[in-house]
Amino acid sequence: MSEEQVKRRRTLVGRVVSDKMNKTVTVLVERRVKHPLLGKVITRSKKYHAHNENNEAREGDLVLIEECRPISKTKAWRVTKLLEKARVV
């Protein structure tokens, strides 16, 4: 494949809300959208299952996930980068 044909993969930034599964984390991605009629800014959120090969992402971490081929029935994203570790209280 030449350099022009390299596919740009979708990436999202979200917070890990669950790491109870082996090699899988649940990532909550929030986005702010303007309501079409009222004009008020509202927060929309969606959860994605992401592949976490070495189990390095923990609950509360901020991660960058990218789209990939389907790994399982619900998993089509992979954790690419750990942006911020969760603060321990």
Side-chain angles (χ1 to χ4, degrees):
M1 237 194 282
S2 66
E3 290 181 26
E4 298 92 40
Q5 294 175 341
V6 175
K7 278 193 171 183
R8 303 298 291 163
R9 293 202 167 132
R10 289 197 301 159
T11 59
L12 298 170
V13 176
R15 185 83 49 191
V16 176
V17 291
S18 173
D19 63 345
K20 291 177 174 62
M21 296 169 276
N22 186 29
K23 296 189 177 183
T24 305
V25 289
T26 304
V27 180
L28 180 74
V29 176
E30 290 184 334
R31 59 189 182 90
R32 296 165 59 84
V33 294
K34 196 170 190 177
H35 190 280
L37 185 62
L38 302 177
K40 184 177 180 179
V41 177
I42 50 179
T43 305
R44 296 277 183 211
S45 60
K46 186 168 180 187
K47 289 181 185 176
Y48 297 94
H49 284 167
H51 187 64
N52 183 20
E53 183 61 43
N54 301 321
N55 290 321
E56 71 270 354
R58 295 276 165 231
E59 195 169 329
D61 292 351
L62 192 68
V63 293
L64 179 76
I65 58 174
E66 86 172 350
E67 197 173 31
C68 63
R69 65 176 179 80
I71 297 168
S72 71
K73 180 181 174 182
T74 59
K75 227 180 359 175
W77 295 81
R78 78 167 52 102
V79 175
T80 55
K81 194 184 291 184
L82 191 63
L83 300 174
E84 178 185 300
K85 295 291 280 179
R87 289 183 300 199
V88 180
V89 179

